Amino acid sequence: MSKGMRVLIGYDGSTYADAAIEDLRRAGLPEKAQALVVSVGEDPIVPPFAGDGVDKTFISDRTIAIANHAGAHISETLASAKEHSEAAARLLESYFPQWHVHPLVLGGSPAIELIQKAREWAAHLVVVGSQGRTAMGRLLFGSVSLEVASDAFCSVRIGRAPEQKAHDPCRIIVGLDGLAGSEHAIKQVLKRRWPEGTELRMIGIENGTSLIKTAEMMSASSEPIELTDAPGLKVFAEVKRGDPASILLGEAREWEADCIFVDAQGFGSSNNGSSASNVSTRLATKAGCSVEIVR
């Protein structure tokens, strides 16, 4: 990875957001990078008469009180977001001392703000947690992570807490459909800096329309494959047939994988109505490990 890599982290102060930051220690990221930790204070709808200098002659005291309360809530929300962003930035700096980390607070709709900022900042990777802070937050942030994963122009990592220690070798799965996007996903994985002994499983899946090339060309075998551009990696390749999401979820669970990588355009429409977005969504919502959707 280039030392100029830009990583944008969406952070809401939840344990799930903390897990996403912890997971970055096992994401193979470079020693030097730029990171933007973004906390979004979601704005309530504030009536136009809530500001000062507005004639409130014909507005009831109760309505004014509601508007004032909304204005105070915005201030509290932004202040809380600022605390979250700064705390997460300090944690990230402790994990990656050579990174240039900056906290940022935005107001608005979380998914929209994260996607827009990622585009403006030309991020290479957006990182989000799988859920939010409270019962409502889990519902909200869950939808935020899926919206970001679906609509962001760059790669998106939905981070979950790793079960192994940060210095242990990683276990990575890449889902392949034999198309160009699959090869792109592999190339992204091979650019990363993985701990010695990290295992990579390339799983080619035939689902009725996809053309399996990569795994077959590498003579799928239970023995590790030597790749000259993947020093330190133990690489395995295999081909399976069936529903892509179900296979990848099952293999990740059985193998206790750290992350599933899949191309955003991989596993296109098939006879059973499966689509690339459906596969990505199912992986993002149901996987017990992190999921990185590559673009």
Side-chain angles (χ1 to χ4, degrees):
M1 282 293 181
S2 165
K3 67 179 181 180
M5 184 181 186
R6 294 170 177 252
V7 183
L8 186 149
I9 298 104
Y11 187 81
D12 72 342
S14 69
T15 57
Y16 299 95
D18 289 334
I21 290 182
E22 179 71 21
D23 167 67
L24 289 180
R25 303 172 74 183
R26 298 178 62 78
L29 299 179
E31 290 184 357
K32 296 181 179 181
Q34 299 181 60
L36 198 60
V37 183
V38 181
S39 291
V40 181
E42 190 171 21
D43 294 342
I45 298 176
V46 181
F49 52 75
D52 295 332
V54 178
D55 185 359
K56 299 181 176 64
T57 304
F58 302 103
I59 304 173
S60 70
D61 291 341
R62 177 175 176 79
T63 302
I64 293 174
I66 293 174
N68 290 337
H69 177 75
H73 177 70
I74 292 176
S75 297
E76 294 175 1
T77 299
L78 293 177
S80 177
K82 184 174 184 293
E83 292 179 2
H84 289 153
S85 180
E86 292 176 348
R90 289 192 295 271
L91 178 62
L92 197 62
E93 287 176 328
S94 71
Y95 290 159
F96 301 96
Q98 298 187 61
W99 281 23
H100 294 287
V101 183
H102 303 280
L104 178 66
V105 175
L106 298 174
S109 170
I112 292 174
E113 295 298 329
L114 291 175
I115 293 170
Q116 181 173 321
K117 189 61 187 178
R119 180 177 293 277
E120 291 175 354
W121 193 53
H124 298 101
L125 178 66
V126 175
V127 178
V128 290
S130 59
Q131 300 181 43
R133 191 168 49 252
T134 61
M136 179 58 71
R138 286 193 292 272
L139 176 63
L140 173 64
F141 206 77
S143 65
V144 169
S145 62
L146 292 179
E147 187 172 346
V148 172
S150 174
D151 297 342
F153 81 101
C154 62
S155 297
V156 175
R157 186 180 182 95
I158 300 175
R160 292 181 170 88
E163 294 184 1
Q164 291 86 7
K165 296 179 181 179
H167 62 267
D168 289 344
C170 300
R171 290 183 169 184
I172 310 300
I173 288 177
V174 180
L176 312 173
D177 65 1
L179 303 178
S182 294
E183 295 181 4
H184 177 61
I186 293 172
K187 290 177 181 177
Q188 290 302 309
V189 172
L190 296 182
K191 287 180 180 179
R192 301 280 176 95
R193 299 173 61 256
W194 302 104
E196 185 74 22
T198 290
E199 298 181 31
L200 167 62
R201 287 180 64 189
M202 300 186 296
I203 302 178
I205 302 173
E206 171 61 62
N207 66 340
T209 60
S210 60
L211 302 175
I212 302 301
K213 298 177 181 178
T214 307
E216 287 184 344
M217 286 192 298
M218 300 186 75
S219 301
S221 169
S222 59
E223 296 298 321
I225 300 167
E226 294 293 334
L227 296 181
T228 57
D229 54 353
L233 282 179
K234 295 180 180 178
V235 184
F236 302 84
E238 56 189 303
V239 178
K240 293 182 177 291
R241 288 174 172 78
D243 175 65
S246 296
I247 290 173
L248 293 174
L249 289 170
E251 293 294 326
R253 181 172 56 252
E254 182 177 343
W255 193 46
E256 297 182 349
D258 292 283
C259 186
I260 303 170
F261 284 77
V262 65
D263 187 83
Q265 301 302 318
F267 307 108
S269 299
S270 67
N271 296 334
N272 61 10
S274 176
S275 65
S277 60
N278 183 38
V279 171
S280 297
T281 298
R282 288 171 63 191
L283 292 177
T285 55
K286 296 182 180 299
C289 62
S290 298
V291 173
E292 189 161 327
I293 302 168
V294 179
R295 292 182 175 86

